[in-house]
Amino acid sequence: MRVTVRPLRDDEISLYLEIHERAIRGLAASHYSRADIEGWVVPATDENLRRLTRNADREIRFVAELHGNPVGIGALVVEKSELRAVYVAPEGARRGCGSALVREIERTARDNKLTRLTLHASLNAEPFYVALGYDVLERTEVVLPNDHPMAVVRMGKNL
Ligand SMILES: CC(C)(COP(=O)(O)OP(=O)(O)OC[C@H]1O[C@@H](n2cnc3c(N)ncnc32)[C@H](O)[C@@H]1OP(=O)(O)O)[C@@H](O)C(=O)NCCC(=O)NCCS
C-alpha cells in the first residue's frame, strides 16, 4: 500500500475539515456521546474557515495520501511542542496513514530542535499513540467549543 505525506496547501482548508469530520464520525463515535461528537466536529462555516486560514497557532499541517487520494490530516504546533492533530478517514484506516503522519510530525519537530512532544488523545486513539511509543501522562477533560467537556488522555514522547 502506498502512503505518502505532504504539506497541506493553503487552498485545502475545506479538505482538512472534511477529513477531520469523517474521521471523528466514522472512527471515534463508538467512544463518545452525540454531544461530544457534535462539539468536536468543526463545521466548515465561513468563520471557522477564516480562523483556520488565519492559523494563529502557526500549525504546520500535513495531508496523508493513500494511492494518491487524500485520506488523512495532521498538525504540529512547534511553539507548544504539541502534536495537535492526526485524523484518518474511515476508508484509509489501519493502512499506516496515521503512523506516517506521526512520523512526519516527529521528523518536523526534531528539525525544529524539539526533544519532546505532548498531545491530547481521544479515548479511541490511545492504543494508536501507545503503539507509536507515547506514554499516558494524565486522564483529563477538554472543554469543547459547545462548552461540553470531553474525556481525553494527555500523552507524551521523548523524540
Ligand atoms: C487514531 C487514528 C488516527 C489512527 O489512524 P490509522 O491510519 O488507522 O493508524 P495506523 O494504520 O497507522 O495504525 C498504526 C497502529 O496503531 C494501532 N491502532 C490504530 N488504530 C487502532 C484502534 N482503533 N484500536 C487499537 N489499535 C489501533 C495499531 O497497533 C496499528 O497497527 P496495526 O494496524 O498493524 O495493528 C484514526 O483511527 C482516527 O483518525 N481516528 C479518529 C480521529 C481521532 O481520534 N484522531 C486522534 C485525535 S487525538
Side-chain angles (χ1 to χ4, degrees):
M1 246 149 325
R2 184 85 182 97
V3 178
T4 52
V5 176
R6 61 169 175 81
L8 182 88
R9 294 194 309 266
D10 292 345
D11 64 352
E12 291 181 316
I13 299 295
S14 296
L15 171 74
Y16 187 94
L17 289 183
E18 181 211 311
I19 291 173
H20 184 261
E21 175 166 359
R22 290 202 295 116
I24 293 169
R25 294 196 190 282
L27 299 171
S30 55
H31 287 69
Y32 288 101
S33 69
R34 181 178 290 257
D36 289 325
I37 297 295
E38 296 312 323
W40 187 3
V41 165
V42 180
T45 59
D46 288 348
E47 187 189 343
N48 284 333
L49 290 169
R50 267 198 304 276
R51 182 174 52 77
L52 277 150
T53 301
R54 199 178 329 119
N55 194 8
D57 280 355
R58 293 200 280 175
E59 293 180 359
I60 301 175
R61 298 171 179 150
F62 300 97
V63 174
E65 295 186 347
L66 182 64
H67 301 301
N69 300 313
V71 294
I73 53 104
L76 165 72
V77 179
V78 170
E79 285 79 0
K80 299 185 177 181
S81 299
E82 182 189 354
L83 193 165
R84 172 65 59 86
V86 177
Y87 291 81
V88 176
E91 72 272 17
R94 298 307 280 266
R95 289 170 173 82
C97 296
S99 306
L101 283 161
V102 171
R103 273 197 304 276
E104 185 62 16
I105 286 168
E106 290 176 351
R107 191 189 63 73
T108 307
R110 282 193 296 269
D111 285 352
N112 282 275
K113 309 269 184 286
L114 299 186
T115 55
R116 184 168 173 78
L117 282 177
T118 58
L119 60 93
H120 282 106
S122 50
L123 301 177
N124 53 285
E126 182 181 337
F128 165 72
Y129 288 113
V130 167
L132 297 176
Y134 287 77
D135 295 321
V136 172
L137 305 175
E138 182 188 16
R139 297 190 183 277
T140 181
E141 287 181 346
V142 293
V143 178
L144 296 168
N146 65 354
D147 291 331
H148 192 80
M150 173 184 172
V152 295
V153 188
R154 209 163 69 80
M155 304 181 78
K157 178 181 176 178
N158 294 332
L159 299 177

